[in-house]
Amino acid sequence: MSALLSPQVTNLIIILGMMQVSKKIPFDDPTVLNGVRALYLASNLIIAAIYGYVLLQINKKRDLTTLKYVEPAPMGSTEEPKLVTTTVQAYDTQQIKASFRSQLTGLAMMGFMHLYMKYTNPLLIQSIIPLKGAFESNLVKIHLFGQPASGDLKRPFKQAAGFMSAMQNGTAQSDKKAIEAAERSGRGGVKDE
């Protein structure tokens, strides 16, 4: 049952549904268009506020527990996997900053598509999908909703399965065997602060 309600499936349902809804919206009317623009901007402001609050919580908790994991080598590279030793606070900060960058990239792409190429339909879809993604984020689940960092929320976080994750370098390994192998090979081990 959980496979039916995975984030990818619900995103697809939302996209298909919103495409049908957006066909019926009169984007020619400036009032409607400005309303959809306001919805898009409000959605992005809410996401920025959520990520900002999570960053404040990360810094407030100041969890200096050591976190070791093996970062896989980039795809197509001859490098060996790299051992990363960091703290939970540094890891979470790195992850939330990556989420901020991802949001800004989406904002820039949407700005280009809407302002330069005059596409209006994606504004509606992009008002919902990124907001849904922010609420489904592991860091938001831990720091905003107070869920324990265990199971799927255990650090390092598993990358969501999908086409792009298959093209990238894979998931970080935090099992003892992988860490010991990376320590023996002499790759990494420098503590990130």
Side-chain angles (χ1 to χ4, degrees):
M1 184 68 179
S2 65
L4 291 176
L5 298 176
S6 72
Q8 294 86 359
V9 172
T10 54
N11 283 353
L12 185 62
I13 292 168
I14 290 170
I15 288 170
L16 293 173
M18 293 312 292
M19 284 172 61
Q20 296 305 313
V21 169
S22 68
K23 288 179 182 177
K24 296 179 180 3
I25 295 177
F27 287 110
D28 301 343
D29 182 358
T31 308
V32 172
L33 183 58
N34 286 334
V36 173
R37 286 175 179 159
L39 177 68
Y40 178 73
L41 290 175
S43 168
N44 278 284
L45 289 174
I46 291 168
I47 294 168
I50 290 169
Y51 289 161
Y53 177 77
V54 168
L55 184 59
L56 285 173
Q57 291 301 108
I58 290 167
N59 291 331
K60 183 178 160 187
K61 288 180 184 175
R62 217 171 134 67
D63 188 351
L64 299 177
T65 306
T66 300
L67 176 65
K68 284 186 176 184
Y69 62 94
V70 179
E71 195 173 82
M75 188 172 175
S77 168
T78 57
E79 294 178 23
E80 292 183 24
K82 178 180 155 192
L83 175 66
V84 177
T85 304
T86 186
T87 63
V88 169
Q89 179 184 11
Y91 180 80
D92 285 0
T93 301
Q94 173 194 5
Q95 294 295 310
I96 201 70
K97 285 182 179 179
S99 296
F100 266 123
R101 279 192 299 278
S102 174
Q103 189 61 30
L104 289 175
T105 302
L107 194 62
M109 288 173 54
M110 194 65 236
F112 171 76
M113 286 175 59
H114 178 63
L115 299 174
Y116 183 73
M117 299 178 75
K118 307 293 184 204
Y119 289 135
T120 53
N121 293 8
L123 279 176
L124 199 58
I125 296 167
Q126 291 302 312
S127 298
I128 298 168
I129 298 292
L131 188 61
K132 178 182 167 291
F135 282 112
E136 291 172 345
S137 161
N138 290 333
L139 288 174
V140 171
K141 288 178 183 176
I142 293 170
H143 295 288
L144 184 66
F145 299 129
Q147 294 182 10
S150 59
D152 287 343
L153 300 179
K154 188 175 188 291
R155 295 169 186 93
F157 302 127
K158 294 182 177 104
Q159 288 186 344
F163 176 72
M164 290 308 288
S165 66
M167 298 292 289
Q168 294 172 348
N169 50 7
T171 59
Q173 298 173 319
S174 59
D175 59 288
K176 194 171 185 176
K177 187 177 178 182
I179 291 171
E180 287 174 355
E183 285 174 339
R184 278 195 301 274
S185 73
R187 290 272 309 142
V190 178
K191 188 170 183 175
D192 292 338
E193 292 288 340

PDB file of all heavy atoms in Angstrom, residues 52-65 87-90 92-93 138-150 153 155 157:
ATOM      1  N   GLY A  52      14.293  27.898   6.689  1.00  0.00           N
ATOM      2  CA  GLY A  52      14.942  28.802   7.648  1.00  0.00           C
ATOM      3  C   GLY A  52      14.716  28.350   9.080  1.00  0.00           C
ATOM      4  O   GLY A  52      15.639  28.348   9.899  1.00  0.00           O
ATOM      5  N   TYR A  53      13.486  27.941   9.386  1.00  0.00           N
ATOM      6  CA  TYR A  53      13.171  27.457  10.730  1.00  0.00           C
ATOM      7  C   TYR A  53      13.958  26.179  11.038  1.00  0.00           C
ATOM      8  O   TYR A  53      14.487  26.015  12.139  1.00  0.00           O
ATOM      9  CB  TYR A  53      11.667  27.193  10.867  1.00  0.00           C
ATOM     10  CG  TYR A  53      11.287  26.633  12.212  1.00  0.00           C
ATOM     11  CD1 TYR A  53      11.209  27.463  13.328  1.00  0.00           C
ATOM     12  CD2 TYR A  53      11.031  25.275  12.378  1.00  0.00           C
ATOM     13  CE1 TYR A  53      10.882  26.944  14.569  1.00  0.00           C
ATOM     14  CE2 TYR A  53      10.699  24.754  13.606  1.00  0.00           C
ATOM     15  CZ  TYR A  53      10.625  25.591  14.702  1.00  0.00           C
ATOM     16  OH  TYR A  53      10.311  25.077  15.931  1.00  0.00           O
ATOM     17  N   VAL A  54      14.032  25.271  10.067  1.00  0.00           N
ATOM     18  CA  VAL A  54      14.783  24.026  10.258  1.00  0.00           C
ATOM     19  C   VAL A  54      16.254  24.345  10.518  1.00  0.00           C
ATOM     20  O   VAL A  54      16.881  23.754  11.409  1.00  0.00           O
ATOM     21  CB  VAL A  54      14.605  23.074   9.051  1.00  0.00           C
ATOM     22  CG1 VAL A  54      15.596  21.919   9.095  1.00  0.00           C
ATOM     23  CG2 VAL A  54      13.183  22.538   9.010  1.00  0.00           C
ATOM     24  N   LEU A  55      16.826  25.295   9.771  1.00  0.00           N
ATOM     25  CA  LEU A  55      18.221  25.688   9.986  1.00  0.00           C
ATOM     26  C   LEU A  55      18.413  26.260  11.395  1.00  0.00           C
ATOM     27  O   LEU A  55      19.401  25.949  12.071  1.00  0.00           O
ATOM     28  CB  LEU A  55      18.669  26.698   8.925  1.00  0.00           C
ATOM     29  CG  LEU A  55      20.141  27.120   8.968  1.00  0.00           C
ATOM     30  CD1 LEU A  55      21.053  25.908   8.800  1.00  0.00           C
ATOM     31  CD2 LEU A  55      20.421  28.149   7.898  1.00  0.00           C
ATOM     32  N   LEU A  56      17.463  27.067  11.854  1.00  0.00           N
ATOM     33  CA  LEU A  56      17.534  27.592  13.226  1.00  0.00           C
ATOM     34  C   LEU A  56      17.492  26.457  14.245  1.00  0.00           C
ATOM     35  O   LEU A  56      18.228  26.478  15.237  1.00  0.00           O
ATOM     36  CB  LEU A  56      16.383  28.563  13.492  1.00  0.00           C
ATOM     37  CG  LEU A  56      16.488  29.945  12.858  1.00  0.00           C
ATOM     38  CD1 LEU A  56      15.205  30.737  13.075  1.00  0.00           C
ATOM     39  CD2 LEU A  56      17.679  30.696  13.410  1.00  0.00           C
ATOM     40  N   GLN A  57      16.631  25.467  14.014  1.00  0.00           N
ATOM     41  CA  GLN A  57      16.534  24.325  14.925  1.00  0.00           C
ATOM     42  C   GLN A  57      17.825  23.507  14.936  1.00  0.00           C
ATOM     43  O   GLN A  57      18.257  23.039  15.984  1.00  0.00           O
ATOM     44  CB  GLN A  57      15.347  23.424  14.546  1.00  0.00           C
ATOM     45  CG  GLN A  57      14.000  24.045  14.785  1.00  0.00           C
ATOM     46  CD  GLN A  57      13.805  24.431  16.241  1.00  0.00           C
ATOM     47  OE1 GLN A  57      13.815  25.593  16.591  1.00  0.00           O
ATOM     48  NE2 GLN A  57      13.647  23.454  17.097  1.00  0.00           N
ATOM     49  N   ILE A  58      18.431  23.339  13.772  1.00  0.00           N
ATOM     50  CA  ILE A  58      19.696  22.596  13.673  1.00  0.00           C
ATOM     51  C   ILE A  58      20.761  23.301  14.510  1.00  0.00           C
ATOM     52  O   ILE A  58      21.476  22.671  15.296  1.00  0.00           O
ATOM     53  CB  ILE A  58      20.147  22.471  12.196  1.00  0.00           C
ATOM     54  CG1 ILE A  58      19.216  21.535  11.432  1.00  0.00           C
ATOM     55  CG2 ILE A  58      21.591  21.990  12.103  1.00  0.00           C
ATOM     56  CD1 ILE A  58      19.389  21.579   9.925  1.00  0.00           C
ATOM     57  N   ASN A  59      20.861  24.623  14.344  1.00  0.00           N
ATOM     58  CA  ASN A  59      21.866  25.388  15.090  1.00  0.00           C
ATOM     59  C   ASN A  59      21.541  25.447  16.581  1.00  0.00           C
ATOM     60  O   ASN A  59      22.447  25.489  17.414  1.00  0.00           O
ATOM     61  CB  ASN A  59      22.004  26.787  14.508  1.00  0.00           C
ATOM     62  CG  ASN A  59      22.630  26.757  13.127  1.00  0.00           C
ATOM     63  OD1 ASN A  59      23.419  25.872  12.808  1.00  0.00           O
ATOM     64  ND2 ASN A  59      22.261  27.702  12.281  1.00  0.00           N
ATOM     65  N   LYS A  60      20.268  25.453  16.918  1.00  0.00           N
ATOM     66  CA  LYS A  60      19.849  25.493  18.318  1.00  0.00           C
ATOM     67  C   LYS A  60      20.174  24.175  19.025  1.00  0.00           C
ATOM     68  O   LYS A  60      20.657  24.179  20.159  1.00  0.00           O
ATOM     69  CB  LYS A  60      18.342  25.773  18.392  1.00  0.00           C
ATOM     70  CG  LYS A  60      17.784  25.906  19.780  1.00  0.00           C
ATOM     71  CD  LYS A  60      16.298  26.240  19.695  1.00  0.00           C
ATOM     72  CE  LYS A  60      15.597  25.909  20.977  1.00  0.00           C
ATOM     73  NZ  LYS A  60      14.148  26.074  20.833  1.00  0.00           N
ATOM     74  N   LYS A  61      19.928  23.046  18.351  1.00  0.00           N
ATOM     75  CA  LYS A  61      20.198  21.729  18.948  1.00  0.00           C
ATOM     76  C   LYS A  61      21.694  21.475  19.090  1.00  0.00           C
ATOM     77  O   LYS A  61      22.118  20.804  20.007  1.00  0.00           O
ATOM     78  CB  LYS A  61      19.560  20.619  18.104  1.00  0.00           C
ATOM     79  CG  LYS A  61      18.058  20.569  18.222  1.00  0.00           C
ATOM     80  CD  LYS A  61      17.462  19.467  17.374  1.00  0.00           C
ATOM     81  CE  LYS A  61      15.956  19.494  17.435  1.00  0.00           C
ATOM     82  NZ  LYS A  61      15.345  18.509  16.546  1.00  0.00           N
ATOM     83  N   ARG A  62      22.458  21.981  18.124  1.00  0.00           N
ATOM     84  CA  ARG A  62      23.923  21.853  18.151  1.00  0.00           C
ATOM     85  C   ARG A  62      24.373  20.422  18.459  1.00  0.00           C
ATOM     86  O   ARG A  62      25.169  20.177  19.361  1.00  0.00           O
ATOM     87  CB  ARG A  62      24.490  22.838  19.165  1.00  0.00           C
ATOM     88  CG  ARG A  62      25.771  23.449  18.730  1.00  0.00           C
ATOM     89  CD  ARG A  62      26.205  24.582  19.626  1.00  0.00           C
ATOM     90  NE  ARG A  62      27.600  24.481  19.955  1.00  0.00           N
ATOM     91  CZ  ARG A  62      28.582  24.615  19.101  1.00  0.00           C
ATOM     92  NH1 ARG A  62      28.330  24.868  17.846  1.00  0.00           N
ATOM     93  NH2 ARG A  62      29.830  24.490  19.473  1.00  0.00           N
ATOM     94  N   ASP A  63      23.851  19.481  17.687  1.00  0.00           N
ATOM     95  CA  ASP A  63      24.168  18.065  17.872  1.00  0.00           C
ATOM     96  C   ASP A  63      25.547  17.769  17.289  1.00  0.00           C
ATOM     97  O   ASP A  63      25.724  17.697  16.073  1.00  0.00           O
ATOM     98  CB  ASP A  63      23.097  17.206  17.188  1.00  0.00           C
ATOM     99  CG  ASP A  63      23.242  15.730  17.483  1.00  0.00           C
ATOM    100  OD1 ASP A  63      24.272  15.332  18.075  1.00  0.00           O
ATOM    101  OD2 ASP A  63      22.317  14.970  17.136  1.00  0.00           O
ATOM    102  N   LEU A  64      26.532  17.603  18.178  1.00  0.00           N
ATOM    103  CA  LEU A  64      27.904  17.383  17.743  1.00  0.00           C
ATOM    104  C   LEU A  64      28.283  15.899  17.735  1.00  0.00           C
ATOM    105  O   LEU A  64      29.465  15.558  17.760  1.00  0.00           O
ATOM    106  CB  LEU A  64      28.862  18.183  18.631  1.00  0.00           C
ATOM    107  CG  LEU A  64      28.643  19.703  18.591  1.00  0.00           C
ATOM    108  CD1 LEU A  64      29.583  20.409  19.550  1.00  0.00           C
ATOM    109  CD2 LEU A  64      28.795  20.259  17.192  1.00  0.00           C
ATOM    110  N   THR A  65      27.269  15.042  17.669  1.00  0.00           N
ATOM    111  CA  THR A  65      27.513  13.603  17.568  1.00  0.00           C
ATOM    112  C   THR A  65      28.258  13.319  16.266  1.00  0.00           C
ATOM    113  O   THR A  65      27.896  13.832  15.210  1.00  0.00           O
ATOM    114  CB  THR A  65      26.173  12.834  17.567  1.00  0.00           C
ATOM    115  OG1 THR A  65      25.420  13.224  18.708  1.00  0.00           O
ATOM    116  CG2 THR A  65      26.405  11.344  17.572  1.00  0.00           C
ATOM    117  N   THR A  87      29.824  15.907  11.786  1.00  0.00           N
ATOM    118  CA  THR A  87      28.895  15.893  12.912  1.00  0.00           C
ATOM    119  C   THR A  87      27.473  15.925  12.364  1.00  0.00           C
ATOM    120  O   THR A  87      27.250  16.292  11.210  1.00  0.00           O
ATOM    121  CB  THR A  87      29.099  17.117  13.830  1.00  0.00           C
ATOM    122  OG1 THR A  87      28.808  18.300  13.098  1.00  0.00           O
ATOM    123  CG2 THR A  87      30.521  17.166  14.380  1.00  0.00           C
ATOM    124  N   VAL A  88      26.525  15.565  13.205  1.00  0.00           N
ATOM    125  CA  VAL A  88      25.121  15.589  12.787  1.00  0.00           C
ATOM    126  C   VAL A  88      24.729  17.017  12.413  1.00  0.00           C
ATOM    127  O   VAL A  88      24.051  17.241  11.410  1.00  0.00           O
ATOM    128  CB  VAL A  88      24.211  15.024  13.912  1.00  0.00           C
ATOM    129  CG1 VAL A  88      22.752  15.287  13.611  1.00  0.00           C
ATOM    130  CG2 VAL A  88      24.464  13.531  14.088  1.00  0.00           C
ATOM    131  N   GLN A  89      25.201  18.003  13.207  1.00  0.00           N
ATOM    132  CA  GLN A  89      24.871  19.400  12.909  1.00  0.00           C
ATOM    133  C   GLN A  89      25.427  19.826  11.549  1.00  0.00           C
ATOM    134  O   GLN A  89      24.713  20.425  10.742  1.00  0.00           O
ATOM    135  CB  GLN A  89      25.421  20.330  13.991  1.00  0.00           C
ATOM    136  CG  GLN A  89      25.116  21.788  13.712  1.00  0.00           C
ATOM    137  CD  GLN A  89      25.740  22.737  14.728  1.00  0.00           C
ATOM    138  OE1 GLN A  89      26.558  22.354  15.542  1.00  0.00           O
ATOM    139  NE2 GLN A  89      25.340  23.991  14.665  1.00  0.00           N
ATOM    140  N   ALA A  90      26.679  19.486  11.274  1.00  0.00           N
ATOM    141  CA  ALA A  90      27.285  19.860   9.984  1.00  0.00           C
ATOM    142  C   ALA A  90      26.584  19.152   8.828  1.00  0.00           C
ATOM    143  O   ALA A  90      26.345  19.759   7.776  1.00  0.00           O
ATOM    144  CB  ALA A  90      28.775  19.534   9.992  1.00  0.00           C
ATOM    145  N   ASP A  92      23.418  17.997   8.751  1.00  0.00           N
ATOM    146  CA  ASP A  92      22.090  18.583   8.574  1.00  0.00           C
ATOM    147  C   ASP A  92      22.171  19.961   7.928  1.00  0.00           C
ATOM    148  O   ASP A  92      21.362  20.301   7.064  1.00  0.00           O
ATOM    149  CB  ASP A  92      21.363  18.675   9.919  1.00  0.00           C
ATOM    150  CG  ASP A  92      20.851  17.325  10.402  1.00  0.00           C
ATOM    151  OD1 ASP A  92      21.051  16.313   9.695  1.00  0.00           O
ATOM    152  OD2 ASP A  92      20.257  17.284  11.500  1.00  0.00           O
ATOM    153  N   THR A  93      23.156  20.759   8.347  1.00  0.00           N
ATOM    154  CA  THR A  93      23.339  22.092   7.758  1.00  0.00           C
ATOM    155  C   THR A  93      23.647  21.972   6.267  1.00  0.00           C
ATOM    156  O   THR A  93      23.083  22.707   5.449  1.00  0.00           O
ATOM    157  CB  THR A  93      24.463  22.861   8.484  1.00  0.00           C
ATOM    158  OG1 THR A  93      24.114  22.977   9.864  1.00  0.00           O
ATOM    159  CG2 THR A  93      24.673  24.242   7.899  1.00  0.00           C
ATOM    160  N   ASN A 138      13.320  14.873   4.806  1.00  0.00           N
ATOM    161  CA  ASN A 138      13.742  14.197   6.033  1.00  0.00           C
ATOM    162  C   ASN A 138      14.052  15.186   7.149  1.00  0.00           C
ATOM    163  O   ASN A 138      13.687  14.956   8.306  1.00  0.00           O
ATOM    164  CB  ASN A 138      14.967  13.321   5.762  1.00  0.00           C
ATOM    165  CG  ASN A 138      14.628  12.116   4.921  1.00  0.00           C
ATOM    166  OD1 ASN A 138      13.504  11.644   4.929  1.00  0.00           O
ATOM    167  ND2 ASN A 138      15.598  11.618   4.183  1.00  0.00           N
ATOM    168  N   LEU A 139      14.740  16.264   6.828  1.00  0.00           N
ATOM    169  CA  LEU A 139      15.098  17.251   7.859  1.00  0.00           C
ATOM    170  C   LEU A 139      13.861  17.928   8.438  1.00  0.00           C
ATOM    171  O   LEU A 139      13.807  18.211   9.635  1.00  0.00           O
ATOM    172  CB  LEU A 139      16.058  18.301   7.292  1.00  0.00           C
ATOM    173  CG  LEU A 139      17.471  17.804   7.031  1.00  0.00           C
ATOM    174  CD1 LEU A 139      18.291  18.872   6.339  1.00  0.00           C
ATOM    175  CD2 LEU A 139      18.137  17.366   8.319  1.00  0.00           C
ATOM    176  N   VAL A 140      12.869  18.198   7.600  1.00  0.00           N
ATOM    177  CA  VAL A 140      11.627  18.810   8.081  1.00  0.00           C
ATOM    178  C   VAL A 140      10.894  17.830   8.993  1.00  0.00           C
ATOM    179  O   VAL A 140      10.380  18.218  10.044  1.00  0.00           O
ATOM    180  CB  VAL A 140      10.744  19.268   6.897  1.00  0.00           C
ATOM    181  CG1 VAL A 140       9.369  19.697   7.368  1.00  0.00           C
ATOM    182  CG2 VAL A 140      11.428  20.406   6.146  1.00  0.00           C
ATOM    183  N   LYS A 141      10.887  16.558   8.622  1.00  0.00           N
ATOM    184  CA  LYS A 141      10.246  15.548   9.463  1.00  0.00           C
ATOM    185  C   LYS A 141      10.918  15.475  10.837  1.00  0.00           C
ATOM    186  O   LYS A 141      10.241  15.334  11.850  1.00  0.00           O
ATOM    187  CB  LYS A 141      10.299  14.174   8.790  1.00  0.00           C
ATOM    188  CG  LYS A 141       9.376  14.037   7.607  1.00  0.00           C
ATOM    189  CD  LYS A 141       9.540  12.665   6.966  1.00  0.00           C
ATOM    190  CE  LYS A 141       8.674  12.514   5.734  1.00  0.00           C
ATOM    191  NZ  LYS A 141       8.907  11.223   5.061  1.00  0.00           N
ATOM    192  N   ILE A 142      12.250  15.588  10.860  1.00  0.00           N
ATOM    193  CA  ILE A 142      12.991  15.491  12.127  1.00  0.00           C
ATOM    194  C   ILE A 142      12.864  16.775  12.944  1.00  0.00           C
ATOM    195  O   ILE A 142      12.501  16.747  14.118  1.00  0.00           O
ATOM    196  CB  ILE A 142      14.479  15.173  11.862  1.00  0.00           C
ATOM    197  CG1 ILE A 142      14.622  13.768  11.283  1.00  0.00           C
ATOM    198  CG2 ILE A 142      15.309  15.310  13.134  1.00  0.00           C
ATOM    199  CD1 ILE A 142      16.009  13.443  10.758  1.00  0.00           C
ATOM    200  N   HIS A 143      13.186  17.917  12.332  1.00  0.00           N
ATOM    201  CA  HIS A 143      13.316  19.165  13.086  1.00  0.00           C
ATOM    202  C   HIS A 143      12.019  19.957  13.230  1.00  0.00           C
ATOM    203  O   HIS A 143      11.881  20.740  14.167  1.00  0.00           O
ATOM    204  CB  HIS A 143      14.403  20.046  12.464  1.00  0.00           C
ATOM    205  CG  HIS A 143      15.768  19.447  12.558  1.00  0.00           C
ATOM    206  ND1 HIS A 143      16.464  19.366  13.736  1.00  0.00           N
ATOM    207  CD2 HIS A 143      16.555  18.874  11.617  1.00  0.00           C
ATOM    208  CE1 HIS A 143      17.634  18.780  13.526  1.00  0.00           C
ATOM    209  NE2 HIS A 143      17.714  18.464  12.240  1.00  0.00           N
ATOM    210  N   LEU A 144      11.073  19.797  12.324  1.00  0.00           N
ATOM    211  CA  LEU A 144       9.808  20.524  12.416  1.00  0.00           C
ATOM    212  C   LEU A 144       8.720  19.664  13.063  1.00  0.00           C
ATOM    213  O   LEU A 144       8.015  20.125  13.952  1.00  0.00           O
ATOM    214  CB  LEU A 144       9.358  21.003  11.026  1.00  0.00           C
ATOM    215  CG  LEU A 144       8.095  21.853  10.961  1.00  0.00           C
ATOM    216  CD1 LEU A 144       8.331  23.192  11.655  1.00  0.00           C
ATOM    217  CD2 LEU A 144       7.676  22.101   9.521  1.00  0.00           C
ATOM    218  N   PHE A 145       8.626  18.410  12.625  1.00  0.00           N
ATOM    219  CA  PHE A 145       7.578  17.537  13.134  1.00  0.00           C
ATOM    220  C   PHE A 145       8.020  16.678  14.312  1.00  0.00           C
ATOM    221  O   PHE A 145       7.217  15.953  14.888  1.00  0.00           O
ATOM    222  CB  PHE A 145       7.029  16.649  12.009  1.00  0.00           C
ATOM    223  CG  PHE A 145       6.414  17.430  10.883  1.00  0.00           C
ATOM    224  CD1 PHE A 145       6.789  17.195   9.575  1.00  0.00           C
ATOM    225  CD2 PHE A 145       5.466  18.414  11.125  1.00  0.00           C
ATOM    226  CE1 PHE A 145       6.223  17.914   8.532  1.00  0.00           C
ATOM    227  CE2 PHE A 145       4.897  19.130  10.090  1.00  0.00           C
ATOM    228  CZ  PHE A 145       5.276  18.882   8.792  1.00  0.00           C
ATOM    229  N   GLY A 146       9.322  16.714  14.643  1.00  0.00           N
ATOM    230  CA  GLY A 146       9.815  16.012  15.824  1.00  0.00           C
ATOM    231  C   GLY A 146       9.884  14.503  15.715  1.00  0.00           C
ATOM    232  O   GLY A 146       9.909  13.812  16.732  1.00  0.00           O
ATOM    233  N   GLN A 147       9.944  13.966  14.508  1.00  0.00           N
ATOM    234  CA  GLN A 147      10.055  12.521  14.357  1.00  0.00           C
ATOM    235  C   GLN A 147      11.471  12.078  14.722  1.00  0.00           C
ATOM    236  O   GLN A 147      12.439  12.806  14.479  1.00  0.00           O
ATOM    237  CB  GLN A 147       9.716  12.098  12.929  1.00  0.00           C
ATOM    238  CG  GLN A 147       8.270  12.333  12.560  1.00  0.00           C
ATOM    239  CD  GLN A 147       7.952  11.864  11.143  1.00  0.00           C
ATOM    240  OE1 GLN A 147       8.742  11.199  10.485  1.00  0.00           O
ATOM    241  NE2 GLN A 147       6.773  12.221  10.661  1.00  0.00           N
ATOM    242  N   PRO A 148      11.626  10.884  15.315  1.00  0.00           N
ATOM    243  CA  PRO A 148      12.973  10.414  15.679  1.00  0.00           C
ATOM    244  C   PRO A 148      13.803  10.097  14.436  1.00  0.00           C
ATOM    245  O   PRO A 148      13.275   9.644  13.423  1.00  0.00           O
ATOM    246  CB  PRO A 148      12.702   9.153  16.501  1.00  0.00           C
ATOM    247  CG  PRO A 148      11.336   8.702  16.100  1.00  0.00           C
ATOM    248  CD  PRO A 148      10.578   9.936  15.694  1.00  0.00           C
ATOM    249  N   ALA A 149      15.108  10.337  14.543  1.00  0.00           N
ATOM    250  CA  ALA A 149      16.026  10.107  13.418  1.00  0.00           C
ATOM    251  C   ALA A 149      16.433   8.637  13.367  1.00  0.00           C
ATOM    252  O   ALA A 149      17.582   8.278  13.581  1.00  0.00           O
ATOM    253  CB  ALA A 149      17.239  11.009  13.539  1.00  0.00           C
ATOM    254  N   SER A 150      15.469   7.775  13.085  1.00  0.00           N
ATOM    255  CA  SER A 150      15.741   6.344  12.978  1.00  0.00           C
ATOM    256  C   SER A 150      14.971   5.796  11.781  1.00  0.00           C
ATOM    257  O   SER A 150      14.085   6.450  11.245  1.00  0.00           O
ATOM    258  CB  SER A 150      15.324   5.635  14.270  1.00  0.00           C
ATOM    259  OG  SER A 150      13.947   5.848  14.513  1.00  0.00           O
ATOM    260  N   LEU A 153      14.709   7.811   8.466  1.00  0.00           N
ATOM    261  CA  LEU A 153      15.229   9.138   8.812  1.00  0.00           C
ATOM    262  C   LEU A 153      16.619   9.071   9.434  1.00  0.00           C
ATOM    263  O   LEU A 153      17.134  10.068   9.935  1.00  0.00           O
ATOM    264  CB  LEU A 153      14.263   9.847   9.772  1.00  0.00           C
ATOM    265  CG  LEU A 153      12.856  10.081   9.229  1.00  0.00           C
ATOM    266  CD1 LEU A 153      11.986  10.760  10.283  1.00  0.00           C
ATOM    267  CD2 LEU A 153      12.892  10.912   7.972  1.00  0.00           C
ATOM    268  N   ARG A 155      20.530   9.104   9.586  1.00  0.00           N
ATOM    269  CA  ARG A 155      21.560   9.751   8.787  1.00  0.00           C
ATOM    270  C   ARG A 155      22.667   8.761   8.476  1.00  0.00           C
ATOM    271  O   ARG A 155      22.978   7.949   9.323  1.00  0.00           O
ATOM    272  CB  ARG A 155      22.128  10.953   9.544  1.00  0.00           C
ATOM    273  CG  ARG A 155      21.117  12.044   9.749  1.00  0.00           C
ATOM    274  CD  ARG A 155      21.676  13.069  10.731  1.00  0.00           C
ATOM    275  NE  ARG A 155      20.712  14.064  11.087  1.00  0.00           N
ATOM    276  CZ  ARG A 155      19.908  14.008  12.150  1.00  0.00           C
ATOM    277  NH1 ARG A 155      19.964  12.969  12.960  1.00  0.00           N
ATOM    278  NH2 ARG A 155      19.072  14.983  12.416  1.00  0.00           N
ATOM    279  N   PHE A 157      21.031  10.188   5.006  1.00  0.00           N
ATOM    280  CA  PHE A 157      19.742   9.906   4.389  1.00  0.00           C
ATOM    281  C   PHE A 157      19.926   9.152   3.088  1.00  0.00           C
ATOM    282  O   PHE A 157      20.849   9.417   2.331  1.00  0.00           O
ATOM    283  CB  PHE A 157      18.969  11.203   4.116  1.00  0.00           C
ATOM    284  CG  PHE A 157      18.735  12.030   5.342  1.00  0.00           C
ATOM    285  CD1 PHE A 157      19.093  13.362   5.369  1.00  0.00           C
ATOM    286  CD2 PHE A 157      18.161  11.481   6.472  1.00  0.00           C
ATOM    287  CE1 PHE A 157      18.883  14.134   6.501  1.00  0.00           C
ATOM    288  CE2 PHE A 157      17.938  12.236   7.604  1.00  0.00           C
ATOM    289  CZ  PHE A 157      18.301  13.567   7.620  1.00  0.00           C
TER     290      PHE A 157
END
